[in-house]
Amino acid sequence: MYSKVDKETCIACGSCGAIAPDVFDYDSEGLAENILDNNTGTVELPGHLHDSVQDALDGCPTDSIKISDKPFK
């Protein structure tokens, strides 16, 4: 699983960082990002984080969290 945040639609609500703090944190503008790969979506997430990332995706009010089975380009 790969993940990144669409910063164009993120409203910095804090949900993803609360649900999956090992994956999501906030940049200098307060927008969420995947801290494991600088929000590129190119580093595979460790298996033990999949459930929390899925929960963060499900809880994102703007659908800004993206996941994929393949790296994002």
Side-chain angles (χ1 to χ4, degrees), residues 17-47:
I19 295 170
D22 292 332
V23 178
F24 302 107
D25 203 354
Y26 306 93
D27 65 14
S28 60
E29 296 177 14
L31 299 174
E33 63 183 0
N34 177 337
I35 58 173
L36 300 178
D37 63 9
N38 292 322
N39 205 51
T40 61
T42 58
V43 174
E44 189 169 6
L45 298 171

